Amino acid sequence: MKITTYINDERKDFQVEPGEVLLDLLRREGYTSVKEGCKTGDCGACMVLVNGRAMTSCTLFVSQVDGKKVRTSEGLHDELAENLRKEFVEVGAIQCGFCIPGVLVSSYSLLTHNPDPTEEEIKAALDGNLCRCTGYVKQIEAIKNVARDFEGVSK
Amino acid sequence: MLKNVTEYHIPGSLDEALSLQDRESRSYFIAGGTGLALSNSNRPVELIDLGKLHLDELHLEDESGKLEIGATTKIQQLVELDELQDFAGGYLANNLEKVGSYPIRNAGTLGGSIVRPFPWSDVVPILLSLGAKIRYFDGTHGVRDLNNLYSDDFRETLRNSIVTGIEVDLPEVGETRGRFYKFSRSEFDIASLNLGCTLTALNGKITRARMAVGARPSFARRLTEVEDFLQGQSLENDLAEEATEMAADTAGVTGDRKMSKDYRLAQVRKMTEEALTGVIGDFLEQ
Ligand SMILES: Cc1cc2nc3c(=O)[nH]c(=O)nc-3n(C[C@H](O)[C@H](O)[C@H](O)COP(=O)(O)OP(=O)(O)OC[C@H]3O[C@@H](n4cnc5c(N)ncnc54)[C@H](O)[C@@H]3O)c2cc1C
């Protein structure tokens, strides 16, 4: 089937097998920030935004994103995204880095919808992301620091 | 990946969707896709997308307490919707947040969560403990008690039906409050046991009780003996003790590799007691 999707603001037309998952399409097309981890919706390494909502691309069929906007970690360029990247590096929230694009997408999604989250809300937003290196303490710290400085709509 | 899928249909009406289902059942309805994507099954050859059937509507009649939710409504939408924050004291919205993770709830739908008989489902006992009914379309529109979900004849009906939504009819008078507990190895893991209970009370008396236990480890069921015992009683904390034993006797739990039978029974007792003392406490504090 033919689908049209808007990946990182760019219109893309694809001929796809309808039973293929979005993760496989994205990697084939070179969006390598989207990682294949568990492929069961558990680890969050393949997290993307679909129409602004964080979803695991391994549990979505390509046919389901026809006409929708998909954003991967490499498509996050605004000030919020850059602040998150900088802060993750500064506080030492990254070790092997495999989970980080997915964690960034989840953090970005959280702060876009809720610029002033509590620690519990940060934990809830990351509950679909597994990190086996650093744990979550530094990631939570980084998100808190960005939230504190972020001129979000509610501040 | 469903590697044998060659066709993807997006029907515009329930009749059309139903007519696309083939006799050999190699065509599958798709809602959020989270369950299907994981199946990696070779069986499906056609997918029938339910996304354009306008089954994502919600109606809440404040006066009568009647709630109707369309089947393709995403679980996370139900967590966030303003209209649901006070429904049954927030019971539905607060507890659906215990289903999976945020990204899974963003994709998974209400209908997709009840059609397949997952014994560990949290959605089913949450809805059962609200006394929910399931709406379906098999050529004509039907409604049945969700408690029939696992009966053979209803499963047969559902094989050739589209689940169109659920409805919850709270009693028109009185207030409803509830508690739901999920026991799992981590926040994100599926339940090893879950239990939900709602009570409706008026003038210090329980007018309606609904209690359900799931991941027993078999399918969720209502504990109607406990419900019957509670209905008509005055709101007093010592009710919990008798109800707790009754729940343990009738929950029908067994052991599996996640939990022994004894441990499950102990958890049923603990959850029942905490649920009842918690809800009764809420009412008494008012
Ligand atoms: C990583 C992960 C963690 C999870 N954790 C939990 C958890 O903690 N608790 C919990 O309760 N659940 C959990 N789930 C289950 C999740 O909630 C279900 O996968 C999801 O809700 C299914 O909904 P869907 O819309 O994605 O279904 P789909 O995948 O679209 O469909 C599932 C099945 O239902 C059929 N179907 C769907 N909608 C209809 C309809 N309206 N009428 C008829 N048939 C229909 C499809 O044909 C298919 O067979 C988890 C799932 C994943 C992937």
Side-chain angles (χ1 to χ4, degrees), chain B residues 22 176 234 263:
Chain B
D22 77 359
T176 303
S234 299
Y263 195 51

Side-chain angles (χ1 to χ4, degrees), chain A residues 40-41, chain B residues 29 31-36 38 100 109 112-113 116 120 122 163 182:
Chain A
T40 56
Chain B
F29 296 125
T34 60
L36 279 173
L38 294 197
T109 66
S113 305
R116 288 178 83 194
W120 40 262
D122 298 307
V163 169
K182 170 179 181 175

Side-chain angles (χ1 to χ4, degrees), chain A residues 1 17-21 24 39-43 47 52-56 58-61 63-64 66 106 109-110 113 124-125 127-130, chain B residues 1-3 5-8 10 30-38 40 47 49 74 76-77 80 97 100-107 187-188:
Chain A
M1 76 185 278
E17 295 298 331
E20 182 178 22
V21 291
D24 292 338
K39 232 180 178 183
T40 56
D42 288 294
C43 78
M47 198 78 69
R53 288 266 177 187
M55 296 186 195
T56 44
C58 70
T59 56
L60 273 179
F61 293 104
S63 35
Q64 292 178 284
D66 188 22
S106 293
S109 158
L110 168 71
H113 293 110
D127 71 2
N129 294 89
L130 288 182
Chain B
M1 167 114 196
L2 301 178
K3 65 172 189 254
V5 173
T6 50
E7 299 284 332
Y8 195 84
I10 310 177
I30 174 167
T34 60
L36 279 173
L38 294 197
N40 283 325
L47 294 178
D49 191 326
K74 310 282 186 196
Q76 182 61 22
Q77 268 177 282
E80 292 174 12
E97 201 165 6
S101 60
Y102 177 71
I104 294 298
R105 294 191 300 273
N106 271 335
E187 279 280 301
F188 182 35

Side-chain angles (χ1 to χ4, degrees), chain B residues 173-190:
Chain B
V173 285
E175 280 193 54
T176 303
R177 295 281 178 275
R179 289 281 195 283
F180 175 79
Y181 298 99
K182 170 179 181 175
F183 189 104
S184 56
R185 286 174 302 186
S186 69
E187 279 280 301
F188 182 35
D189 195 16
I190 54 168

Side-chain angles (χ1 to χ4, degrees), chain A residues 5-139:
Chain A
T5 173
Y6 302 84
I7 305 179
N8 301 334
D9 297 325
E10 231 182 290
R11 183 190 157 123
K12 298 273 181 179
D13 298 299
F14 298 113
Q15 181 69 40
V16 294
E17 295 298 331
E20 182 178 22
V21 291
L22 179 60
L23 163 66
D24 292 338
L25 173 74
L26 290 172
R27 288 200 59 85
R28 193 170 62 238
E29 292 297 320
Y31 298 95
T32 51
S33 77
V34 185
K35 308 291 184 209
E36 179 176 336
C38 65
K39 232 180 178 183
T40 56
D42 288 294
C43 78
C46 66
M47 198 78 69
V48 295
L49 299 177
V50 177
N51 283 358
R53 288 266 177 187
M55 296 186 195
T56 44
S57 57
C58 70
T59 56
L60 273 179
F61 293 104
V62 283
S63 35
Q64 292 178 284
V65 297
D66 188 22
K68 296 196 175 144
K69 291 182 189 162
V70 175
R71 195 168 286 279
T72 67
S73 183
E74 48 277 79
L76 298 174
H77 288 307
D78 60 9
E79 194 187 343
L80 172 60
E82 292 311 330
N83 287 350
L84 278 166
R85 282 197 186 93
K86 195 164 137 265
E87 204 56 38
F88 266 66
V89 172
E90 267 175 24
V91 304
I94 303 168
Q95 198 169 314
C96 88
F98 189 80
C99 70
I100 294 300
V103 174
L104 275 178
V105 172
S106 293
S107 317
Y108 182 90
S109 158
L110 168 71
L111 294 182
T112 317
H113 293 110
N114 177 5
D116 194 11
T118 62
E119 183 159 333
E120 283 315 303
E121 287 167 335
I122 297 175
K123 286 182 185 168
L126 293 187
D127 71 2
N129 294 89
L130 288 182
C131 169
R132 301 288 82 167
C133 300
T134 66
Y136 308 96
V137 173
K138 293 288 177 191
Q139 297 177 0

